[in-house]
Amino acid sequence: MTFQLDRSEVHLWLAFCGDADRELLHERYRALMTPEERARGDRFYFERDRARYRVTRALVRTVLSRYAPIAPQDWRFDATSYGQPIIVNAEPEAQSLSFNLTHTSDLVVLAVTRQRAVGVDTENITRGALLDVADRFFAPSECEHLWALPAEAHTTRFFELWTLKESYIKARGMGLSIPLHKFAFDLREPGAVSLATLPELGDPADRWALRHLWATPEHPVALCIERHGQHPEFDLKARRIVPLEGDQAVDLIASRRN
């Protein structure tokens, strides 16, 4: 099935690794990969990491083929100087696509849009929050608001902030070269999120549309999308997929937006 996608939309594709836990299916995933990708995947020490890598590559290749006339095995990728993957295929339908990937232990999420910068991040909160990371890397206002909450709320708020911050630096395409304390999210108002950036980043906060969602009660998902003159907001559609087998629309629980 092919999908129409314009600049007003963002499509989220969620692949739970457990849904694809079949040896023959993973053999088909390997067949889609380049020799370099197969070699990289084989270098993971644990089978669970090798399996997640195969799901990730199959997810990217099969989903992008929904939007451009390119077979899954024919997609080619390079990376920017910051390590962000980019599409090399020259077809106009391919060059107009923007995508971003994230994964946690059991879930891989792919965000796709056209001609808009996009960043996505997810985590599994059952692994526990590294709360000491907050004082080391979060902005002072984020730490102040975090520690003002009751102790039982610290883990959820930590992961809300962490996924939002990751989605922002991924949308910027510059990774951790952007110091995490030079931009701050304010989550004090229920259902809302606001972003503030320091002037030296040269990136006005109102450039970005933000969403925070929950794929499951354990999996927060944050989205950061570049606003466009004709499309300051975006329509979000989400599907749960088993690459090469099937997919269905899902409703994610929306918790915050700006």
Side-chain angles (χ1 to χ4, degrees):
M1 180 186 298
T2 59
F3 283 83
Q4 297 297 315
L5 176 68
D6 62 35
R7 297 182 76 175
S8 68
E9 295 179 307
V10 176
H11 292 179
L12 273 187
W13 296 83
L14 294 84
F16 288 85
C17 297
D19 291 348
D21 187 19
R22 289 177 290 287
E23 184 176 347
L24 290 178
L25 188 57
H26 277 254
E27 289 180 6
R28 296 174 66 196
Y29 292 167
R30 278 181 62 84
L32 298 178
M33 296 157 60
T34 64
E36 293 78 15
E37 288 174 331
R38 284 193 287 271
R40 181 179 178 185
D42 290 342
R43 286 197 291 270
F44 286 103
Y45 185 79
F46 295 107
E47 171 54 26
R48 64 173 182 271
D49 296 323
R50 293 193 291 271
R52 187 182 59 230
Y53 182 82
R54 291 191 291 269
V55 171
T56 301
R57 302 320 307 163
L59 174 67
V60 173
R61 290 177 170 280
T62 58
V63 166
L64 291 183
S65 291
R66 306 284 187 102
Y67 304 102
I70 297 170
Q73 64 273 20
D74 291 336
W75 286 96
R76 294 295 178 267
F77 304 96
D78 200 347
T80 69
S81 59
Y82 293 102
Q84 186 174 48
I86 55 174
I87 293 170
V88 173
N89 302 71
E91 288 84 347
E93 298 95 330
Q95 282 296 304
S96 66
L97 289 172
S98 302
F99 75 99
N100 195 238
L101 266 172
T102 180
H103 68 75
T104 183
S105 58
D106 52 349
L107 171 64
V108 184
V109 180
L110 171 66
V112 187
T113 186
R114 287 198 188 273
Q115 296 177 314
R116 300 174 71 170
V118 56
V120 63
D121 192 62
T122 190
E123 295 285 345
N124 186 328
I125 66 173
T126 63
R127 71 180 176 88
L130 302 173
L131 293 174
D132 59 323
V133 168
D135 286 329
R136 293 167 55 196
F137 296 108
F138 285 7
S141 63
E142 293 173 330
C143 293
E144 177 185 346
H145 301 157
L146 172 64
W147 300 126
L149 293 171
E152 60 268 24
H154 287 168
T155 294
T156 297
R157 179 58 54 86
F158 172 87
F159 280 112
E160 285 182 304
L161 288 167
W162 183 260
T163 52
L164 283 163
K165 292 177 86 69
E166 284 279 328
S167 71
Y168 173 75
I169 63 173
K170 294 175 75 175
R172 292 288 309 275
M174 300 169 64
L176 291 173
S177 67
I178 301 175
L180 295 177
H181 66 278
K182 294 199 172 183
F183 59 96
F185 291 96
D186 189 336
L187 307 181
R188 287 176 295 176
E189 182 180 345
V193 52
S194 63
L195 170 65
T197 58
L198 293 182
E200 55 260 43
L201 291 184
D203 185 49
D206 60 4
R207 178 184 170 199
W208 301 102
L210 306 163
R211 298 278 180 90
H212 197 273
L213 315 118
W214 291 86
T216 76
E218 293 81 33
H219 296 93
V221 177
L223 264 175
C224 182
I225 310 294
E226 184 181 29
R227 287 194 162 108
H228 179 263
Q230 295 180 330
H231 305 292
E233 303 300 329
F234 61 91
D235 295 324
L236 178 64
K237 297 178 180 177
R239 300 186 74 83
R240 181 167 178 162
I241 183 172
V242 179
L244 295 178
E245 282 204 341
D247 57 86
Q248 60 183 355
V250 292
D251 293 322
L252 306 185
I253 299 172
S255 59
R256 297 181 182 275
R257 62 185 299 168
N258 66 346

